[in-house]
Amino acid sequence: ERYERNSTSSYVSLALLNCGQGFIFSMALMVVMILCVMGIRDGRNTLGDFVLINAMMMGQTHANSLAGVYADYRHVSAYSALS
């Protein structure tokens, strides 16, 4: 019972952290894209710069999701070892 309660608490806190991280990342992506569009408008950046920045930021999103999968895998492995 204690393990189940702690496990649920752990998943809830992880979900809240993931939501917060997603919000922060989305806001950062929006700011970077706006700055890049302003640079395109002023002639400092090209459309290729916009595509490059967008691809790099989306790559970061993928890396963050892999970290979540790894954390879940470790949690399941630890639970299997206890059984």
Side-chain angles (χ1 to χ4, degrees):
E1 181 181 328
R2 181 175 165 221
Y3 175 79
E4 290 174 3
R5 190 171 5 111
N6 289 339
S7 177
T8 302
S9 175
S10 176
Y11 272 114
V12 168
S13 64
L14 183 61
L16 290 173
L17 286 172
N18 285 339
C19 287
Q21 181 183 19
F23 176 76
I24 291 169
F25 185 82
S26 296
M27 292 297 110
L29 178 63
M30 183 179 69
V31 168
V32 168
M33 292 291 106
I34 289 171
L35 289 173
C36 189
V37 167
M38 289 169 58
I40 292 171
R41 185 186 62 197
D42 295 340
R44 291 186 316 262
N45 297 344
T46 65
L47 189 57
D49 293 330
F50 182 84
V51 171
L52 173 71
I53 292 170
N54 193 18
M56 288 176 60
M57 295 295 280
M58 287 301 127
Q60 288 297 322
T61 302
H62 182 66
N64 289 337
S65 67
L66 286 177
V69 169
Y70 177 72
D72 285 344
Y73 170 76
R74 297 236 344 153
H75 182 78
V76 168
S77 296
Y79 179 74
S80 297
L82 292 174
S83 297

